[in-house]
Amino acid sequence: MTLELREVSKHYDGAGEAVAAVDRVSLTVAPGEFVALYGPSGSGKTTLLMLAAAIMTPDAGSVLFDGLEVSSLTASESARYRRERTGVVFQSFHLTGASALENAAVKLLALGMTLGEAQNAARPWLERVGLGERIEHTPAQMSMGERQRVAIARALANDPDLLLADEPTGNLDSKRSREILELLAEICRERQVPVLLVTHDPQATSFVDRVYTLRDGKLTEGLALDLHASIAQ
């Protein structure tokens, strides 16, 4: 179950010319490997994650997961890929007005579980992210950090083969951030799933196997010196 991006490019139209959000990027994340992607805002990190999730299609190159060419899937096939095989944590939480438990269980309902089965499967994940006593609360009754953790529980509820996380600790305090990073690392190693993490969190470097920097659509290994200084502040 390896994630592979091969010479992937994605462009946007900007001020009358094409802007390369991702420019001929190649990256492999092996089973049980936790990889962090740093970079300044607007550097293409989220675009790269969306390409891996088959939410976007590349202009060139290919994205493969476990031998499946994700970049060539139809809209219905890509939706099934995300539903059945991936867990995606989005920067914007995409939560409904329902309870935390109902939000965490929603993908499982789409997989054909009954409401009771889905909620029974989702409940342990809410407990693991520290929301065991808040499962009946709605997002309107929760802090931003709690909403973030509901979104993380939802991404994990289907026991994904691939985990893609876009700033999952962005709204959390340092203690909760460390707990979530520990959880992601634990899942990565226990279940031998590839994890690709987009982050600005300085704590992440202590948990991941490899670090990359994406800048102006170009990928380099390691954390750029200026970024290292900025996140250390």
Side-chain angles (χ1 to χ4, degrees):
M1 295 189 295
T2 299
L3 174 66
E4 298 177 77
L5 291 87
R6 300 176 180 173
E7 292 289 310
V8 170
S9 295
K10 183 68 178 179
H11 299 82
Y12 297 106
D13 291 329
E17 62 181 63
V19 177
V22 176
D23 190 7
R24 290 174 294 176
V25 166
S26 293
L27 174 66
T28 298
V29 188
E33 189 173 30
F34 195 179
V35 172
L37 186 61
Y38 287 85
S41 297
S43 63
K45 303 185 303 297
T46 293
T47 297
L48 187 66
L49 208 73
M50 297 301 100
L51 291 168
I55 292 170
M56 296 180 179
T57 55
D59 298 324
S62 57
V63 179
L64 298 98
F65 177 65
D66 196 22
L68 174 69
E69 189 162 354
V70 171
S71 48
S72 65
L73 297 177
T74 65
S76 61
E77 288 170 340
S78 63
R80 181 176 178 181
Y81 161 72
R82 285 190 298 276
R83 191 166 57 241
E84 295 183 354
R85 306 211 62 187
T86 72
V88 184
V89 181
F90 298 95
Q91 278 194 58
S92 50
F93 312 134
H94 300 302
L95 302 177
T96 70
S99 70
L101 184 57
E102 289 171 295
N103 271 288
V106 66
K107 189 193 297 189
L108 303 179
L109 294 173
L111 290 173
M113 288 188 184
T114 66
L115 179 60
E117 290 170 339
Q119 292 186 351
N120 286 338
R123 185 177 284 105
W125 289 109
L126 287 167
E127 292 169 351
R128 288 188 75 174
V129 299
L131 293 176
E133 297 181 356
R134 305 278 285 169
I135 61 173
E136 297 302 330
H137 288 70
T138 66
Q141 299 169 310
M142 293 180 160
S143 67
M144 292 291 284
E146 287 172 331
R147 294 177 199 176
Q148 181 94 64
R149 285 182 278 150
V150 173
I152 293 167
R154 180 184 58 198
L156 296 171
N158 67 326
D159 291 324
D161 297 324
L162 170 66
L163 185 56
L164 304 165
D166 194 0
E167 299 283 4
T169 63
N171 292 290
L172 305 179
D173 60 31
S174 59
K175 179 178 180 293
R176 286 297 185 189
S177 293
R178 186 172 186 84
E179 290 172 355
I180 292 301
L181 290 167
E182 287 176 345
L183 174 61
L184 297 181
E186 182 181 308
I187 291 165
C188 176
R189 274 94 201 204
E190 277 183 3
R191 301 195 68 247
Q192 285 296 290
V193 300
V195 179
L196 181 58
L197 169 74
V198 166
T199 188
H200 287 99
D201 192 334
Q203 295 189 89
T205 57
S206 302
F207 294 91
V208 301
D209 301 299
R210 285 186 289 142
V211 171
Y212 288 88
T213 297
L214 191 67
R215 188 192 299 274
D216 298 326
K218 298 285 190 181
L219 189 70
T220 56
E221 190 161 5
L223 184 60
L225 289 177
D226 60 329
L227 291 174
H228 189 281
S230 66
I231 68 172
Q233 293 175 352

